[in-house]
């Protein structure tokens, strides 16, 4: 198979396991490219990509921009904060205006779930979802599973647990879809208030005890506790969260097994992860960042082949 | 389908021996020369040449595998995108003489992409091209090989098919095939 089954990357839910494997195989080659002295290839030389971010982002936008530039695409950046969106322009109007400037692909982040799906029905350009509300963040799930595959050789059969704020996390949902499609066993662990009510219907295990979850898993994908949500009373205090769900080296050492530690960043050090774990050999957090560029290059390259 | 054998196993061995001698005449003991095989089809010839060269000069010869997929100029103009192969160039080519190796030279576009891909590993002192089959009169670009196994006159409707021992074939043979014209 040399072609994705879809014209847009709206979510992992739409992809087939074959699509996922094709993205990983292509990303393997791009990882080799970005480790060369000259990290650039001319594949997307005649393509213009608009990064449209209606919501703040640092690493995802940087990672996409770097991926686009390493493929030699022309890049335009758009942030909603200082744009005509503030004057009341609609999403379709905004994007149509950008497309009128002959843009071929759109990488979009939006605070509303389904915004990229809506857009894909109205415009011809390829759309890459860079996070839509609390729905999906497909490229993050792709780079996470790519990192697991790189470490273990295969994702199938691995036990992966997602820790923390599952209910608000688009990373969690995309990860669950990707891991299930690849044949991994998935568990979620966190305070009951941060676990979606019907999460078991996705075929994942639920565990409320941190130690039991760690005992079970091969990979711990620790998600960020959003400090801004602390006022919303999902849990009593950060200190309490850290006591019950914070992962530290002492806890890991007491398990007598090795666990791969992942985190999509940014880390709240001392809350969900202690520095002695985040900076340890068990953590592959910076590998995830490097793999993010390679995986995004693969996605853009494969989608461009479908225009 | 019309099929004409242009290389038998025996003729292939003789041709590779001759190409080896030609390369040794130009590059001596290969101290400053490296070989880059174009993925995927150039790998077979490059490996045969490397073995033959090492037998003759008694020293090891550096061989890398170069994938040109991301440097092709027909990306997005084909029905389906090309799937990338592995690039493995575990040495610097800065200041070295480079021999690019491919099985068939046709339009020259793969070689153009290879020249582009190669420069991401440094600036070579000189570059040569070695091919097993040179399809004459079919070039789109001004590219000519330095070392050739065999020149073949072909038209665009013809294909060169390489069958190799160990890849589901009992012996090495290379064929020139032509699709039959539709009988109206």
């Amino acid at each position: 198979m040399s072609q994705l089954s879809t014209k847009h990357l709206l979510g992992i839910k739409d992809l087939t396991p074959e699509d996922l494997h094709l993205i990983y195989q292509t990303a393997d080659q791009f990882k080799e490219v970005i480790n060369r002295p000259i990290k650039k290839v001319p594949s997307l030389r005649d393509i213009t990509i608009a990064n449209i971010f209606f919501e703040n982002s640092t690493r995802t936008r940087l990672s996409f921009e770097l991926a686009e530039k390493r493929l030699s695409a022309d890049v335009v950046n758009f942030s909603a904060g200082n744009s005509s969106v503030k004057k009341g322009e609609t999403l379709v109007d905004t994007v149509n205006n950008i497309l009128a400037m002959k843009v071929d692909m759109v990488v979009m982040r939006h605070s509303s779930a389904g915004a990229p799906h809506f857009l894909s029905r109205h415009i011809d350009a390829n759309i890459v979802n860079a996070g839509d509300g609390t729905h999906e963040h497909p490229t993050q799930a792709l780079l996470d599973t790519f990192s697991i595959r790189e470490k273990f050789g295969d994702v199938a059969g691995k036990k992966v647990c997602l820790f923390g704020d599952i209910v608000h996390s688009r990373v969690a949902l995309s990860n669950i879809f990707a891991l299930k499609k690849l044949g991994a066993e998935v568990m979620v662990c966190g305070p009951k208030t941060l676990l979606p009510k019907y999460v078991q219907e996705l075929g994942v295990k639920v565990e409320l005890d941190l130690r039991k979850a760690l005992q079970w898993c091969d990979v711990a994908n620790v998600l960020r506790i959003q400090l801004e949500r602390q006022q919303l009373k999902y849990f009593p205090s950060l200190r309490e969260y850290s006591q019950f769900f914070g992962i530290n080296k002492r806890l890991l050492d007491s398990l007598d097994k090795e666990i791969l530690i992942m985190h999509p960043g940014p880390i709240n050090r001392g809350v969900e992860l202690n520095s002695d774990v985040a900076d340890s050999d068990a953590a592959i957090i910076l590998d995830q960042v490097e793999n993010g560029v390679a995986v995004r290059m693969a996605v853009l390259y494969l989608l461009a082949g479908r225009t | 389908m019309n099929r004409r054998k242009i290389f038998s196993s025996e003729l292939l061995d003789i041709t590779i021996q001759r190409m080896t001698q030609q390369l040794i005449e130009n590059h001596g003991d290969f101290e400053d020369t490296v070989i880059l095989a174009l993925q995927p089809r150039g790998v077979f010839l490059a490996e045969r040449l490397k073995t033959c060269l090492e037998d003759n000069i008694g020293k090891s010869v550096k061989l890398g595998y170069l994938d040109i997929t991301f440097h092709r100029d027909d990306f997005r103009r084909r029905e389906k995108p090309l799937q990338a192969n592995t690039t493995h160039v575990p040495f610097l080519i800065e200041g070295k003489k480079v021999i690019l190796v491919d099985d068939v030279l046709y339009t020259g576009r793969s070689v153009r992409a290879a020249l582009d891909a190669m420069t991401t590993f440094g600036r070579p002192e000189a570059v040569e091209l070695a091919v097993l089959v040179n399809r004459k009169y079919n070039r789109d670009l001004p590219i000519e090989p330095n070392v050739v196994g065999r020149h073949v006159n072909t038209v665009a409707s013809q294909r060169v098919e390489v069958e190799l021992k160990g890849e589901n074939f009992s012996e090495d043979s290379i064929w020139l095939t032509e699709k039959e014209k539709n009988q109206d």
Side-chain angles (χ1 to χ4, degrees):
Chain A
M1 184 174 149
S2 64
Q3 196 171 25
L4 289 179
S5 64
T6 163
K7 190 189 163 193
H8 311 285
L9 180 65
L10 302 176
I12 300 290
K13 201 176 180 182
D14 311 323
L15 299 180
T16 65
E18 289 75 31
D19 288 331
L20 294 174
H21 290 299
L22 176 62
I23 292 169
Y24 300 145
Q25 282 162 17
T26 314
D28 282 336
Q29 304 317 315
F30 281 122
K31 190 155 181 189
E32 189 272 324
V33 168
I34 60 177
N35 281 297
R36 288 181 193 168
I38 299 170
K39 301 165 175 61
K40 208 167 164 125
V41 290
S43 302
L44 301 194
R45 200 155 40 193
D46 53 347
I47 300 238
T48 307
I49 303 178
N51 297 317
I52 305 180
F53 279 69
F54 291 94
E55 205 185 54
N56 292 339
S57 164
T58 309
R59 68 196 64 216
T60 304
R61 211 186 75 183
L62 275 180
S63 183
F64 265 111
E65 199 171 333
L66 212 51
E68 290 152 6
K69 288 183 170 167
R70 295 208 163 140
L71 288 166
S72 306
D74 293 317
V75 180
V76 285
N77 286 309
F78 168 90
S79 303
N82 45 11
S83 74
S84 290
V85 173
K86 294 276 180 213
K87 299 177 189 167
E89 191 173 62
T90 66
L91 175 60
V92 171
D93 280 344
T94 304
V95 176
N96 269 331
N97 273 293
I98 293 168
L99 290 179
M101 299 173 206
K102 307 296 173 210
V103 167
D104 305 291
M105 295 175 92
V106 174
V107 175
M108 189 174 84
R109 168 166 289 192
H110 202 283
S111 55
S112 300
H117 303 70
F118 166 76
L119 209 58
S120 70
R121 291 193 290 272
H122 289 87
I123 63 175
D124 279 338
N126 302 85
I127 294 173
V128 181
N129 180 2
D132 59 331
T134 56
H135 181 219
E136 280 226 45
H137 191 354
T139 53
Q140 181 69 43
L142 288 167
L143 77 91
D144 286 346
T145 43
F146 179 81
S147 302
I148 296 170
R149 169 185 172 271
E150 188 178 61
K151 211 70 192 172
F152 291 114
D154 198 356
V155 180
K158 294 287 165 295
K159 293 176 174 173
V160 183
C161 186
L162 297 152
F163 290 91
D165 185 356
I166 310 296
V167 74
H168 296 109
S169 176
R170 50 193 172 211
V171 176
L173 190 61
S174 283
N175 259 282
I176 290 170
F177 286 142
L179 290 163
K180 296 296 290 181
K181 277 180 200 278
L182 294 166
E185 288 186 65
V186 189
M187 178 185 272
V188 292
C189 175
K192 214 168 182 179
T193 48
L194 291 179
L195 300 180
K197 227 173 178 177
Y198 304 108
V199 70
Q200 275 148 318
E201 287 178 14
L202 296 172
V204 304
K205 295 181 172 65
V206 176
E207 178 59 68
L208 301 177
D209 186 307
L210 175 70
R211 174 176 279 274
K212 281 185 188 162
L214 286 171
Q215 198 71 260
W216 176 84
C217 70
D218 303 311
V219 180
N221 196 351
V222 189
L223 305 179
R224 183 173 77 95
I225 282 300
Q226 286 150 8
L227 292 171
E228 63 272 19
R229 296 224 171 87
Q230 205 213 335
Q231 283 86 37
L232 298 178
K233 306 294 181 204
Y234 285 101
F235 48 86
S237 72
L238 276 184
R239 186 177 151 74
E240 188 172 316
Y241 182 87
S242 156
Q243 294 270 317
F244 283 94
F245 292 98
I247 298 176
N248 56 47
K249 186 145 195 314
R250 193 167 41 83
L251 178 61
L252 288 183
D253 286 347
S254 73
L255 295 172
D256 200 28
K257 64 181 275 199
E258 281 186 21
I259 298 176
L260 197 66
I261 304 288
M262 298 170 69
H263 194 297
I267 310 169
N268 293 316
R269 285 179 183 258
V271 182
E272 66 264 6
L273 268 189
N274 266 21
S275 287
D276 53 10
V277 176
D279 302 330
S280 71
D281 291 340
I284 56 161
I285 297 163
L286 292 176
D287 294 333
Q288 287 174 266
V289 178
E290 182 185 342
N291 290 339
V293 178
V295 163
R296 291 182 173 113
M297 286 171 83
V299 166
L300 295 168
Y301 172 81
L302 291 166
L303 288 179
R306 296 233 9 166
T307 51
Chain B
M1 190 185 284
N2 292 325
R3 230 164 169 239
R4 179 162 64 92
K5 196 186 250 188
I6 51 175
F7 273 109
S8 64
S9 196
E10 195 184 346
L11 183 61
L12 189 65
D13 284 341
I14 294 167
T15 306
I16 286 172
Q17 282 289 348
R18 181 177 54 72
M19 290 174 78
T20 304
Q21 295 305 327
Q22 211 173 330
L23 288 170
I24 291 171
E25 271 178 37
N26 293 341
H27 297 273
D29 62 358
F30 273 65
E31 189 65 37
D32 295 317
T33 306
V34 297
I35 298 177
L36 286 183
L38 267 67
Q39 283 272 38
R41 307 300 313 183
V43 171
F44 136 78
L45 176 63
E47 282 176 349
R48 293 280 285 263
L49 282 173
K50 175 183 155 75
T51 310
C52 210
L53 282 165
E54 287 174 347
D55 288 347
N56 278 276
I57 60 178
K59 285 175 76 174
S60 93
V61 173
K62 286 178 179 163
L63 168 63
Y65 305 109
L66 188 67
D67 182 47
I68 59 164
T69 310
F70 302 134
H71 294 266
R72 289 196 70 102
D73 58 6
D74 56 356
F75 173 59
R76 297 176 67 233
R77 287 172 182 79
R78 289 169 169 251
E79 289 226 327
K80 285 184 175 182
L82 288 159
Q83 202 168 347
N85 288 293
T86 315
T87 290
H88 181 62
V89 184
F91 45 77
L92 287 174
I93 63 163
E94 186 77 32
K96 299 277 185 198
K97 289 176 188 156
V98 175
I99 302 167
L100 291 176
V101 175
D102 205 358
D103 60 344
V104 180
L105 175 61
Y106 180 36
T107 60
R109 286 178 189 269
S110 298
V111 177
R112 193 229 34 94
L115 289 167
D116 192 3
M118 181 192 64
T119 52
T120 59
F121 294 93
R123 179 182 182 272
E125 188 192 300
V127 186
E128 285 184 10
L129 176 62
V131 295
L132 191 58
V133 177
N134 176 23
R135 291 182 65 167
K136 292 164 77 181
Y137 316 123
N138 283 294
R139 216 72 78 237
D140 292 348
L141 298 170
I143 285 169
E144 284 306 314
N146 305 80
V147 180
V148 178
R150 184 166 179 180
H151 297 280
V152 180
N153 295 336
T154 60
V155 291
S157 62
Q158 290 173 316
R159 279 169 48 82
V160 175
E161 286 180 4
V162 181
E163 293 178 353
L164 300 175
K165 203 156 55 183
E167 286 183 7
N168 299 328
F169 297 102
S170 56
E171 58 166 11
D172 297 327
S173 40
I174 297 175
W175 303 81
L176 189 65
T177 62
E178 185 169 10
K179 284 179 192 164
E180 283 173 7
K181 284 178 189 160
N182 289 334
Q183 301 290 317
D184 292 326

